[in-house]
Every structure is written in structure tokens, then in C-alpha cells.
């Protein structure tokens, strides 16, 4: 997995107030909110890795949703 965020996505990793010392992430495509973490991560690096997985998941078409 690459650590580069694919265009047009952006990832914001921010510290959470509760639980203190944990991080959450927000995934945006062209500035529009796509997904937000629903769990707390113990490190900024782990939160960023989870956001990259979400970005990769969003780039792949869902089964049955392709062209006919």
C-alpha cells in the first residue's frame, strides 16, 4: 500500500478530545466529505493507514454497479 493519497482525495488526521491521546480521520473527495472514522486510533500513523484503506476502497467499483 502506498502512503500517497490518490487524487482527488484528501485525508485529515486530527487528535480526538475523548479518548485523549487518540486520533481520528476524515476522507474527502474534491473537498466533499466521503467518510469519517468511527473509531479512535492510538497513533496518528494508524489513523492515516486506515484512511488510506478507505480511500482505496472508495476508488474501486462495487460489485454489480459497473457499466452494462
Amino acid at each position: 500500500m502506498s502512503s500517497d493519497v490518490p487524487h482527488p482525495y484528501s485525508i485529515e488526521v486530527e487528535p480526538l478530545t475523548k479518548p485523549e491521546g487518540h486520533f481520528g480521520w476524515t476522507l474527502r473527495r474534491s473537498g466533499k466529505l466521503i467518510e469519517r472514522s468511527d473509531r479512535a486510533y492510538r497513533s496518528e500513523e494508524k489513523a492515516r493507514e486506515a484512511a488510506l484503506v478507505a480511500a482505496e476502497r472508495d476508488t474501486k467499483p462495487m460489485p454489480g454497479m459497473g457499466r452494462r
Side-chain angles (χ1 to χ4, degrees):
M1 175 175 36
S2 170
S3 64
D4 296 324
V5 181
H7 179 76
Y9 293 92
S10 63
I11 294 173
E12 301 165 10
V13 177
E14 298 179 336
L16 301 175
T17 55
K18 289 185 182 180
E20 193 172 327
H22 288 70
F23 296 85
W25 55 264
T26 303
L27 175 64
R28 296 180 185 278
R29 183 182 340 121
S30 300
K32 183 176 180 182
L33 177 65
I34 299 298
E35 192 173 340
R36 183 177 288 145
S37 62
D38 59 352
R39 62 174 292 218
Y41 295 88
R42 291 182 181 254
S43 72
E44 191 172 353
E45 181 181 338
K46 293 288 184 187
R48 184 167 178 75
E49 288 173 6
L52 285 169
V53 169
E56 289 176 9
R57 182 175 58 240
D58 192 67
T59 61
K60 294 181 172 58
M62 294 176 59
M65 299 299 284
R67 293 184 185 187
R68 290 183 182 221

